[in-house]
């Protein structure tokens, strides 16, 4: 067993041990344990998530709620953190879908929504955030119609305290998760995302992750509605904002130190960089216009690729896909691809002895 495998096994065992302890302690002690568990969640990779978050674990949580061994408040604190890291690490886990806990959540959502008197909006929002991010693209249409207004209301909160910022971030992550797959984000919701982005540009009220998520929510709709291109490019200045975010994020990573560390683990800053590159991929895949800011943006993408290529190959593959979209859609001039360093980078990569077939094929298409 390698050192990495042993470390991963230790993380999984420690998490399972902490989870087992929740049954026999009071609510305040449970909160402390959940804080420890959140630290372990941050350390886990996709494989470790799969090992820990089984149908049996979700069923166990449901049973603990039923037997009053864990409060719903603490359950939601735990599951919101699970959902958060599932979304950031891009984990696809189907175990929640087939668990009894999913049924409990759906019943709670429907019952709360049916109340004639004042509804518990905080409870509904928390339930939706867990439900949307853990279930990924398997949310029934009737529940989507219920949940979207609550998530949008939470995402539009303009308070600037840390707790409010965290809640806005969670709501935007949940909306982003839904928006990748569903057609329900109609024009009224598009205007909400536009206002969230514009307000941030003026007041800087969002976290970096929340801002990236807001853009991706809007771009998910752009895939279906090309009329949004004018708003995205010329009114909200997507390219300019993406350049700024990428440059500031890259400065937060000690690339030399990161290269010497374990390559399999991804810091939160690297995660946000990867998500921005993914967002740029969506944009350039569907973009048909040209803009003078694109050439500077391509240069920033090239620099990101060079910095991350030996640390995070996933970022490299996403950058490669962007270059292919640029070449196919002709969103920039050939001279811009040359001057930005994209062509030189592609030629260097083709000569790498360890290049995989998919990326080599993409590079040849670009050339």
């Amino acid at each position: 067993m390698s050192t990495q495998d042993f470390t991963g096994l230790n993380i999984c065992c420690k998490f399972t041990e902490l989870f087992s302890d929740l049954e026999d302690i009071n609510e305040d002690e449970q909160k402390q344990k959940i804080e420890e568990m959140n630290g372990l969640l941050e350390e886990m990779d996709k494989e470790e998530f799969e090992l820990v978050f089984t149908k049996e674990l979700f069923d166990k949580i449901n049973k603990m709620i039923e037997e009053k061994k864990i409060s719903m408040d603490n359950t939601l604190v735990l599951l919101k953190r699970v959902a958060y890291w599932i979304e950031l690490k891009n984990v696809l886990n189907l175990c929640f879908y087939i668990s009894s806990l999913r049924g409990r959540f759906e019943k709670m959502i429907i019952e709360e929504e049916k109340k004639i008197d004042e509804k518990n909006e905080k409870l509904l929002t928390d339930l939706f955030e867990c439900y949307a991010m853990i279930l990924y693209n398997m949310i029934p249409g009737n529940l989507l119609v219920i949940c979207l207004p609550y998530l949008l209301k939470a995402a539009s909160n303009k308070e600037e305290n840390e707790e409010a910022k965290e809640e806005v971030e969670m709501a935007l992550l949940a909306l982003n998760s839904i928006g990748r797959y569903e057609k329900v984000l109609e024009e009224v919701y598009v205007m909400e995302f536009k206002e969230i982005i514009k307000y941030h540009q003026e007041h800087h009220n969002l976290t970096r992750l929340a801002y990236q998520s807001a853009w991706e929510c809007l771009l998910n709709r752009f895939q279906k509605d090309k009329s949004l291109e004018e708003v995205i490019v010329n009114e909200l200045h997507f390219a300019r904002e993406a350049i700024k975010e990428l440059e500031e994020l890259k400065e937060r990573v000690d690339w030399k130190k990161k290269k010497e560390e374990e390559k399999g683990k991804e810091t939160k800053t690297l995660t946000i960089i990867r998500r921005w590159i993914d967002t740029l991929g969506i944009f350039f895949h569907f973009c048909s216009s040209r803009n003078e800011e694109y050439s500077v943006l391509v240069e920033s993408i090239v620099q990101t690729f060079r910095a991350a290529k030996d640390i995070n190959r996933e970022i490299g593959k996403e950058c490669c896909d962007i270059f292919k979209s640029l070449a196919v859609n002709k969103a920039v001039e050939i001279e811009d691809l040359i001057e930005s360093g994209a062509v030189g980078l592609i030629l260097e990569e083709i000569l790498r002895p360890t290049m995989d077939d998919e990326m080599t094929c993409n590079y040849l298409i670009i050339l």
Side-chain angles (χ1 to χ4, degrees):
M1 182 181 290
S2 69
T3 303
Q4 185 175 345
D5 289 340
F6 184 74
T7 303
L9 190 59
N10 271 347
I11 290 172
C12 295
C13 290
K14 182 63 176 172
F15 186 93
T16 303
E17 182 184 324
L18 288 169
F19 177 76
S20 298
D21 291 343
L22 295 178
E23 284 194 271
D24 303 315
I25 54 180
N26 64 40
E27 194 164 346
D28 289 336
E29 291 171 324
Q30 283 181 348
K31 282 185 170 66
Q32 293 174 4
K33 291 282 183 186
I34 290 168
E35 284 298 325
E36 291 182 59
M37 292 162 79
N38 187 47
L40 294 173
L41 288 169
E42 185 173 359
E43 290 294 313
M44 286 183 190
D45 60 22
K46 292 182 182 182
E47 290 74 20
E48 288 154 9
F49 261 94
E50 292 297 323
L51 281 173
V52 171
F53 292 99
T54 60
K55 175 183 181 296
E56 288 71 27
L57 183 133
F58 288 120
D59 284 340
K60 179 66 175 175
I61 294 173
N62 187 52
K63 188 176 180 184
M64 287 168 65
I65 297 169
E66 199 170 289
E67 296 176 349
K68 302 191 183 328
K69 291 182 178 179
I70 186 170
S71 68
M72 184 50 67
D73 282 348
N74 278 353
T75 299
L76 289 170
V77 169
L78 172 61
L79 288 178
K80 280 178 72 172
R81 287 170 184 178
V82 171
Y84 180 83
W85 292 112
I86 279 178
E87 172 65 18
L88 257 63
K89 295 170 191 288
N90 200 24
V91 176
L92 178 60
N93 186 307
L94 302 177
C95 294
F96 178 75
Y97 183 79
I98 57 175
S99 73
S100 57
L101 186 60
R102 172 197 163 209
R104 177 180 290 275
F105 270 38
E106 290 178 352
K107 185 180 178 184
M108 288 179 68
I109 289 167
I110 292 168
E111 287 180 351
E112 190 66 36
E113 177 62 19
K114 281 182 178 177
K115 287 183 180 176
I116 297 172
D117 298 329
E118 191 173 339
K119 297 175 177 64
N120 187 337
E121 291 190 16
K122 176 70 167 62
L123 173 63
L124 280 168
T125 304
D126 287 344
L127 285 167
F128 289 139
E129 286 169 353
C130 297
Y131 189 78
M133 285 190 272
I134 299 176
L135 260 188
Y136 222 50
N137 63 330
M138 294 178 288
I139 306 172
N142 65 317
L143 292 183
L144 274 174
V145 172
I146 296 172
C147 80
L148 283 170
Y150 292 101
L151 290 176
L152 279 164
K153 183 176 180 180
S156 302
N157 185 358
K158 294 180 173 58
E159 293 179 53
E160 295 191 22
N161 61 72
E162 287 307 308
E163 185 179 351
K165 285 185 176 184
E166 286 178 11
E167 287 303 318
V168 169
E169 184 179 90
M170 281 295 292
L172 283 168
L173 282 169
L175 285 163
N176 189 1
S177 180
I178 293 168
R180 293 190 193 114
Y181 300 98
E182 296 296 337
K183 297 178 180 179
V184 292
L185 300 177
E186 300 300 340
E187 187 175 346
V188 61
Y189 301 135
V190 169
M191 296 308 294
E192 294 274 5
F193 295 133
K194 177 183 165 183
E195 289 306 311
I196 288 168
I197 289 168
K198 286 184 73 173
Y199 189 85
H200 173 76
Q201 288 174 346
E202 294 173 14
H203 302 279
H204 307 288
N205 63 308
L206 299 177
T207 66
R208 290 190 183 277
L209 180 57
Y211 190 45
Q212 178 275 325
S213 297
W215 270 113
E216 193 165 333
C217 285
L218 187 58
L219 287 168
N220 281 325
R221 184 60 190 168
F222 175 47
Q223 296 180 54
K224 305 173 183 72
D225 184 359
K226 299 300 184 295
S227 68
L228 286 172
E229 192 161 338
E230 172 67 23
V231 171
I232 290 166
V233 174
N234 296 318
E235 186 177 343
L236 298 177
H237 301 283
F238 173 68
R240 183 190 67 195
E241 293 297 298
I243 293 164
K244 177 174 69 71
E245 290 295 311
L246 273 182
E247 294 307 309
E248 291 178 3
L249 284 162
K250 282 188 293 184
E251 288 178 7
R252 294 163 66 99
V253 179
D254 186 337
W255 297 100
K256 184 177 179 181
K257 180 181 177 183
K258 186 66 187 160
K259 195 177 292 188
E260 294 166 356
E261 293 174 350
E262 185 182 349
K263 294 179 185 177
K265 301 294 182 182
E266 187 175 74
T267 64
K268 187 173 177 181
T269 302
L270 264 181
T271 298
I272 301 172
I273 290 173
R274 172 173 55 76
R275 289 171 67 93
W276 263 109
I277 294 296
D278 186 52
T279 302
L280 288 165
I282 296 170
F283 175 71
F284 281 119
H285 186 74
F286 293 96
C287 170
S288 57
S289 67
R290 288 188 177 184
N291 186 287
E292 60 183 17
E293 293 176 332
Y294 294 170
S295 59
V296 183
L297 179 53
V298 174
E299 186 177 344
S300 185
I301 295 167
V302 170
Q303 291 168 359
T304 303
F305 187 112
R306 288 192 180 281
K309 67 179 181 177
D310 294 326
I311 297 164
N312 191 308
R313 292 302 292 173
E314 197 171 335
I315 290 177
K317 287 185 177 182
E318 291 290 343
C319 290
C320 173
D321 286 341
I322 291 172
F323 298 146
K324 186 169 77 170
S325 294
L326 285 166
V328 172
N329 294 343
K330 299 180 181 178
V332 296
E333 299 284 355
I334 293 171
E335 290 80 3
D336 292 329
L337 283 174
I338 295 170
E339 290 174 11
S340 68
V343 173
L345 175 63
I346 289 163
L347 291 171
E348 288 173 31
E349 287 295 300
I350 285 176
L351 295 174
R352 281 170 63 103
T354 56
M355 179 55 55
D356 64 63
D357 292 343
E358 181 188 352
M359 290 184 76
T360 301
C361 180
N362 284 340
Y363 288 140
L364 292 172
I365 290 170
I366 295 163
L367 292 176

